[in-house]
Amino acid sequence: MKTDFSKLSSSESVGSAVKVMEKTNADYSVVEEEGKIKGVVTSRELVGYPFSRLLLDCAIQPLGTITEEALADEALRVLEGGKASFLVVSNAEGIPIGITNRETIIDSLFQELEKLNREKDKYIAELKQAEEALETSKASFRNIVERSSDGIIVVDQGGIVRFVNSASEAIFQRRAEELIGELFGFPVAAETAAELDIVRKGGEIGTGEMRAVETEWEGKLAYLATVHDITERKRAEEELRELDRMKSEFISNISHELRSPLHSIRGFTKLMLMDKVPDPEVQKEFLSIIDDQGKRLGTLIDSLLDMSRLESGRFTIQKQRLSIKDVIHETVESFYSLASEKDTVINEDIPVTLPEIEADGERVRQVMVNLLSNAVKFSNDGGSVTVKGEVNGSELLVQVTDRGIGIPEEAMLYLFERFYQVNGSATRSAGGSGLGLYISRQIIEAHGGRIWAESKEGEGSIFSFTLPLNQAGGDSHG
Amino acid sequence: MDKKILVIDDDPNALRLIEYTLEQEGYRVITASDGLEGLTKAQDEHPDLIVLDIMLPGLDGYEVCYQLRQKLETGALPILMVSAKARQDDKDIGLRMGANDYLTKPADPSMIVARVKTLLAGTSQENLNLEDYGAGRIESGGR
């Protein structure tokens, strides 16, 4: 639609230009004076604006024979040159469609500024995001260092600790601030791998496996050491070695234990075969030694078989109702002769009211034999052994007490372990396979009872075991 | 000749066996059942030879042997170890502690007599063929 321009010829006609616009419903009026544009007005925006002022603000620019189409462009140029307060904005066809003033331009400058501001904000946001990403990445690395189960330590060239992670604090049982700044105390060089003693806070010593590589700390050459706590592994290895040692000692002991009776058996047999024993009394003496030693071998072989059964899980108990009092008494009786040889008295403290229980009589007897033979064996000559039985709650408690040589404290832990024999020739030479207490424990535990020992070196020992009184289904005995 | 032999062993049966065997051969035999008693008797009774077990209560045979070797009166006394400790290591330690000979239990009585005779015949330690044992007597160590 062609816009209707009202040509104004003088300042006096500005007011009428408005009127013309109102009349013709035109949007714009171009203010002209002597053929020159003095301004462009639009009725909508400039109604009420003092036209005198408008004219004043307009740059007076000779237009010559300007076309309507070029009008807006020209007006803009004038405006940009800072000589006018108004800008005529044309549409794509060059037709003026609006007018603007300097304030609007400033607005647009603000808009530009705002746009710049928005870009700045966007840039700042991006920067922040990048920083956050960096922080996250840093945190991840810190996390890796801090969560590492290995101690990570930076030691400078002077051997001073400069950084430790949490694992180091745990390993050395010291806080970071107690470690940093201190001497590491162990020579560190690049590409080294070594085992080191870890001195913990209480003075306890563990073992660490350390590897070191070169690194940089605050711009200087330093060493990055990782310390892996291998104390537990060492302990396990040590236990394994101890078990191995016990096993080979056991084999050596078994060999010794088999050879000793065999020595007597073969020796005396040989003497008699060679007619070196003419005296019938002496023959009898030697035959009875051979008989005894044969029995000793038999017992040892039984123990070995029991152990073999335990190892293969074929060890079973057959429970039946029995009088524990009788089992104890019979076992004690069988020790009278051995005890009298050592001038040792065996006292029985068994109440007649002791109830019957469900148990494997032979196995319980085996335990009693083991405990009594230990008690007599380790009693001093002229000593005494007491066997006590009593009801203790829902259990039967049996205790064998001696006043013998006692058991060293360090041995108490291992007493019921397989192959264990208290160190020292004195005890070992007293005979035994290192299996008796181990087998006893298996027997008692298979009954649902417990077995334990209390002892004081030089004062004697108390071996106790319990057997449950009320077995399920044990209602009557025939 | 009436040579006196001290037998040290904590196993009464082993003591009885060697005592009887050696008496049959005309030796005078005295016995001790632990290391300390053995050392005292070696000092006081002036035996011509000692038959020594290793697994003894208190002082063991190695220690007894070592101590005997440290003393002037017993330093050159022939010592025959007879023990159920049968590993090569055990034998090596025994000889290192100063034993002149080592027999493993079970030991044939006639073998014990033969070794005793050889040692009493004044055979020096150097001339004794230490490798001349009954076959299979010594177990290999570290099994």
Side-chain angles (χ1 to χ4, degrees):
Chain A
M1 186 181 98
K2 191 149 164 115
T3 309
D4 181 8
F5 283 94
S6 300
K7 313 270 185 195
L8 307 172
S9 54
S10 68
S11 57
E12 283 81 22
S13 58
V14 168
S16 60
V18 173
K19 284 186 186 110
V20 169
M21 282 195 294
E22 281 171 347
K23 240 189 250 167
T24 60
N25 202 26
D27 287 339
Y28 307 92
S29 292
V30 175
V31 182
E32 246 181 336
E33 196 176 65
E34 295 165 6
K36 289 163 192 158
I37 292 176
K38 294 209 75 174
V40 187
V41 296
T42 169
S43 59
R44 290 203 187 92
E45 288 173 15
L46 296 180
V47 168
Y49 192 90
F51 273 67
S52 54
R53 177 135 181 109
L54 171 76
L55 289 172
L56 213 72
D57 282 353
C58 278
I60 296 173
Q61 186 76 20
L63 283 175
T65 56
I66 193 167
T67 60
E68 278 183 10
E69 286 73 17
L71 177 68
D73 285 347
E74 189 53 36
L76 180 62
R77 208 160 37 241
V78 169
L79 199 60
E80 280 177 343
K83 291 167 187 156
S85 302
F86 297 92
L87 173 65
V88 175
V89 183
S90 63
N91 65 14
E93 287 86 38
I95 298 172
I97 54 166
I99 184 165
T100 184
N101 61 10
R102 206 171 257 158
E103 278 72 31
T104 316
I105 290 174
I106 288 168
D107 277 354
S108 78
L109 278 176
F110 272 116
Q111 273 167 21
E112 190 66 22
L113 198 66
E114 263 170 36
K115 197 177 143 205
L116 283 172
N117 271 336
R118 273 197 301 277
E119 275 172 13
K120 190 189 85 186
D121 287 349
K122 197 175 145 210
Y123 176 72
I124 286 171
E126 278 172 5
L127 199 67
K128 209 173 153 196
Q129 214 171 357
E131 269 174 5
E132 273 169 8
L134 189 68
E135 247 344 283
T136 309
S137 153
K138 267 193 199 164
S140 300
F141 278 107
R142 202 178 302 124
N143 190 42
I144 290 167
V145 171
E146 286 305 317
R147 295 293 298 273
S148 163
S149 59
D150 285 353
I152 296 173
I153 299 164
V154 176
V155 180
D156 68 17
Q157 280 182 293
I160 304 286
V161 176
R162 303 300 297 270
F163 170 85
V164 295
N165 67 341
S166 324
S168 308
E169 297 181 291
I171 289 171
F172 291 96
Q173 291 177 354
R174 282 178 176 81
R175 290 196 312 278
E177 52 267 38
E178 294 176 90
L179 290 166
I180 292 169
E182 295 297 315
L183 270 172
F184 184 54
F186 192 86
V188 184
E191 312 305 325
T192 54
E195 269 184 20
L196 73 164
D197 284 346
I198 299 170
V199 183
R200 305 203 210 269
K201 198 146 201 173
E204 187 203 334
I205 292 185
T207 310
E209 195 175 62
M210 184 194 72
R211 282 169 197 282
V213 291
E214 265 183 17
T215 187
E216 214 184 74
W217 188 260
E218 289 168 358
K220 282 182 193 146
L221 176 70
Y223 301 102
L224 177 72
T226 52
V227 179
H228 184 55
D229 192 337
I230 55 168
T231 311
E232 281 310 307
R233 197 178 82 200
K234 279 267 158 187
R235 198 167 292 160
E237 281 172 3
E238 196 51 53
E239 268 169 28
L240 216 63
R241 262 199 294 279
E242 172 70 8
L243 199 70
D244 204 49
R245 190 192 62 75
M246 276 161 76
K247 199 158 187 164
S248 77
E249 200 174 295
F250 166 76
I251 290 167
S252 155
N253 279 330
I254 287 297
S255 159
H256 184 268
E257 288 309 303
L258 290 168
R259 282 166 185 279
S260 294
L262 208 58
H263 179 60
S264 302
I265 293 169
R266 293 202 54 197
F268 288 117
T269 308
K270 204 89 175 198
L271 284 179
M272 282 194 277
L273 282 175
M274 290 166 75
D275 296 323
K276 298 270 189 187
V277 197
D279 185 344
E281 278 303 306
V282 180
Q283 280 182 8
K284 211 172 167 188
E285 180 204 342
F286 289 176
L287 283 171
S288 90
I289 291 176
I290 291 168
D291 185 42
D292 277 353
Q293 295 303 300
K295 269 190 229 154
R296 185 172 154 194
L297 274 181
T299 310
L300 184 64
I301 288 161
D302 283 346
S303 294
L304 287 170
L305 287 177
D306 275 347
M307 193 203 70
S308 159
R309 279 190 209 106
L310 284 167
E311 306 268 287
S312 63
R314 281 184 285 115
F315 185 83
T316 51
I317 54 163
Q318 260 122 40
K319 285 187 201 167
Q320 60 182 80
R321 205 139 189 96
L322 56 87
S323 160
I324 193 75
K325 190 177 58 179
D326 292 349
V327 172
I328 294 171
H329 184 66
E330 283 160 21
T331 317
V332 169
E333 265 186 346
S334 73
F335 272 88
Y336 282 166
S337 68
L338 185 68
S340 70
E341 269 174 41
K342 292 197 73 176
D343 200 16
T344 296
V345 184
I346 305 179
N347 303 308
E348 270 181 84
D349 181 4
I350 315 286
V352 285
T353 54
L354 217 57
E356 295 191 336
I357 60 164
E358 291 259 337
D360 186 327
E362 268 320 297
R363 293 298 187 190
V364 174
R365 195 185 312 273
Q366 206 179 329
V367 174
M368 285 304 302
V369 166
N370 184 253
L371 297 186
L372 273 169
S373 82
N374 279 342
V376 172
K377 193 154 64 185
F378 297 120
S379 276
N380 303 313
D381 286 0
S384 75
V385 171
T386 304
V387 183
K388 193 178 168 191
E390 63 183 27
V391 171
N392 185 12
S394 61
E395 291 174 325
L396 179 84
L397 173 67
V398 180
Q399 289 185 309
V400 179
T401 307
D402 68 67
R403 303 254 163 263
I405 58 174
I407 302 159
E409 206 180 320
E410 66 270 17
M412 294 300 285
L413 265 176
Y414 305 104
L415 271 187
F416 295 94
E417 298 290 325
R418 188 183 54 171
F419 307 147
Y420 190 75
Q421 288 196 305
V422 175
N423 265 320
S425 305
T427 47
R428 220 176 275 133
S429 69
S433 57
L435 288 174
L437 287 176
Y438 171 69
I439 293 168
S440 297
R441 188 183 78 181
Q442 306 300 321
I443 292 171
I444 294 302
E445 286 179 356
H447 279 88
R450 290 168 295 126
I451 185 165
W452 69 96
E454 295 148 80
S455 186
K456 207 160 194 184
E457 222 176 335
E459 289 184 18
S461 312
I462 306 172
F463 280 82
S464 312
F465 67 86
T466 63
L467 291 170
L469 276 181
N470 294 314
Q471 304 285 341
D475 42 75
S476 70
H477 64 285
Chain B
M1 62 173 221
D2 210 14
K3 297 274 189 186
K4 194 198 275 184
I5 296 173
L6 169 62
V7 184
I8 308 172
D9 200 317
D10 65 327
D11 178 353
N13 302 314
L15 269 187
R16 181 78 179 102
L17 175 66
I18 297 175
E19 180 186 37
Y20 186 88
T21 305
L22 294 176
E23 278 175 355
Q24 286 290 300
E25 296 297 319
Y27 298 109
R28 278 201 291 143
V29 178
I30 50 173
T31 62
S33 56
D34 65 54
L36 207 61
E37 189 189 349
L39 274 180
T40 312
K41 286 193 172 166
Q43 191 97 353
D44 300 347
E45 308 264 347
H46 308 291
D48 297 294
L49 181 142
I50 293 176
V51 176
L52 180 60
D53 181 30
I54 293 172
M55 301 285 259
L56 294 169
L59 292 180
D60 69 16
Y62 296 138
E63 179 74 24
V64 170
C65 189
Y66 181 76
Q67 290 202 18
L68 287 171
R69 287 287 175 253
Q70 301 306 304
K71 287 176 184 153
L72 196 64
E73 308 93 300
T74 54
L77 204 57
I79 298 173
L80 168 62
M81 280 190 172
V82 180
S83 169
K85 283 171 82 72
R87 291 182 310 174
Q88 185 65 40
D89 284 4
D90 304 323
K91 178 195 132 188
D92 289 347
I93 296 168
L95 296 179
R96 221 176 301 135
M97 290 296 128
N100 300 80
D101 204 348
Y102 192 106
L103 275 180
T104 305
K105 292 178 183 175
D108 192 319
S110 57
M111 182 65 79
I112 296 172
V113 170
R115 298 297 170 102
V116 165
K117 271 186 183 151
T118 312
L119 287 172
L120 284 175
T123 312
S124 71
Q125 202 173 340
E126 291 77 37
N127 294 339
L128 192 73
N129 184 358
L130 293 174
E131 301 309 316
D132 185 21
Y133 290 109
R137 285 276 166 74
I138 298 290
E139 294 168 2
S140 60
R143 222 185 265 171

